Amino acid sequence: MADWWDGFWATYNSAIFDVGISAMLALSIYVTLSCGLLSLANAAFMGIGAYAAALISMQTALPFPVALAAGVALPMLVALIIGIPTLRLSGVYLAMATLGFGEVVRVIVLNMDVTGGPMGLNGIPLKTEWWHIVLLLVAVLYFLARMRRSKIGRAFEAIKEDEVAARLMGIDVAAYKLLAFAIGAGIAGLAGALNAHYTFTIGPGNFDFERAVEILTMAVFGGTGNLIGPTLGGAILALLPEILRWFQDYRLAINGLILVLVILYLPQGIWDPRRIRSFLQRRRAA
């Protein structure tokens, strides 16, 4: 039994780690979507967190928790700086602006010696353990669950439903949008920091447009009406490449197809409590 487990873990540990990281990334964009913000900057924030944490681990003797903290703090700081002018936009204009920001980050990383340029960083210490991901994912879920039931969560929901009405109710819309943007950036940065410390190497291509679309697909696929949806969507889409290995070259096309199908036929995502309750009631009635 022990030999079987050792073989299984050696083969699939990266895929299992990816499940937790993907769930965090889906939750990061859930935060911005819960405030009515369609942002595609989370891949860039993930990259900033990954590079910040990796450089600290490679060039200093600071402990791993400090590297993780930097991986959270730096993306949040960047989000606060770019969010002030950017969050005046909405809808597709905000998506385009944040996508442009992601490309700016990628080009900067490509041309900096400290980040390894196009080759990226190699030899990152393998410090991420499975329990780090489980513990921090649970902490993120607990934090977001508490926030959702708080004044902040109610303000996010009001802004998402009707920004003008929320402003007339006395809600500081700009401040709450900036807060949602920063929290999402911090969670994405945490995912990037953890990811960098178990993949051994990172490069600019890991945080490009494809990753931005993938993060959005995870959240929309699972559903953004609650915390279970993004977590489930991230986990399923993380496992999909392992299940469909022969379609690996078409991963972006598959993600796009999933996104279209979900929007058309499951607009609330696969985890829609009302639809599930209705289905169970029909089954009991039958």
Side-chain angles (χ1 to χ4, degrees):
M1 184 66 178
D3 293 339
W4 175 87
W5 172 253
D6 290 341
F8 174 84
W9 183 254
T11 304
Y12 295 107
N13 65 328
S14 293
I16 294 170
F17 281 13
D18 283 343
V19 168
I21 297 300
S22 296
M24 283 191 196
L25 290 171
L27 289 168
S28 74
I29 202 168
Y30 158 83
V31 177
T32 52
L33 290 172
S34 70
C35 198
L37 299 172
L38 180 57
S39 168
L40 295 176
N42 290 51
F45 291 134
M46 179 190 183
I48 293 171
Y51 274 100
L55 287 170
I56 287 175
S57 293
M58 294 175 69
Q59 299 186 7
T60 73
L62 294 172
F64 186 43
V66 175
L68 291 180
V72 174
L74 186 58
M76 292 186 75
L77 178 61
V78 174
L80 291 173
I81 293 171
I82 71 165
I84 293 174
T86 304
L87 296 182
R88 296 176 183 175
L89 304 172
S90 61
V92 67
Y93 299 105
L94 177 61
M96 291 172 63
T98 51
L99 185 61
F101 163 72
E103 285 301 296
V104 168
V105 170
R106 189 178 67 85
V107 171
I108 290 174
V109 169
L110 277 170
N111 291 279
M112 290 180 67
D113 292 334
V114 69
T115 60
M119 300 301 295
L121 295 177
N122 296 287
I124 303 170
L126 303 178
K127 295 185 177 182
T128 299
E129 301 287 347
W130 67 267
W131 61 268
H132 291 142
I133 296 177
V134 172
L135 180 64
L136 290 171
L137 177 59
V138 170
V140 168
L141 285 167
Y142 177 76
F143 169 76
L144 293 180
R146 292 293 300 269
M147 185 185 74
R148 190 179 180 195
R149 293 192 294 268
S150 70
K151 177 183 176 182
I152 295 174
R154 292 191 293 272
F156 285 178
E157 189 65 27
I159 294 169
K160 178 182 178 181
E161 292 298 325
D162 193 325
E163 186 175 321
V164 175
R167 188 176 286 108
L168 292 173
M169 291 167 57
I171 296 174
D172 190 339
V173 173
Y176 279 109
K177 281 186 173 182
L178 191 60
L179 178 62
F181 196 53
I183 292 173
I187 297 173
L190 175 61
L194 288 168
N195 179 77
H197 286 86
Y198 77 80
T199 57
F200 185 76
T201 178
I202 56 174
N206 300 131
F207 315 107
D208 55 6
F209 170 74
E210 180 178 342
R211 178 54 69 91
V213 173
E214 184 180 22
I215 295 171
L216 178 62
T217 305
M218 290 172 185
V220 175
F221 175 66
T224 57
N226 52 64
L227 294 173
I228 297 176
T231 306
L232 186 62
I236 292 174
L237 291 187
L239 291 173
L240 201 59
E242 287 295 324
I243 299 171
L244 303 175
R245 284 190 176 185
W246 53 92
F247 289 125
Q248 189 171 4
D249 294 337
Y250 305 98
R251 184 173 181 178
L252 185 59
I254 292 172
N255 285 343
L257 179 62
I258 290 172
L259 189 59
V260 171
L261 292 176
V262 169
I263 291 173
L264 288 175
Y265 300 106
L266 297 171
Q268 302 302 318
I270 61 172
W271 187 265
D272 181 1
R274 285 180 294 183
R275 189 181 69 248
I276 294 172
R277 283 195 298 268
S278 176
F279 173 76
L280 292 176
Q281 289 171 358
R282 289 197 303 269
R283 289 294 298 272
R284 283 195 289 266

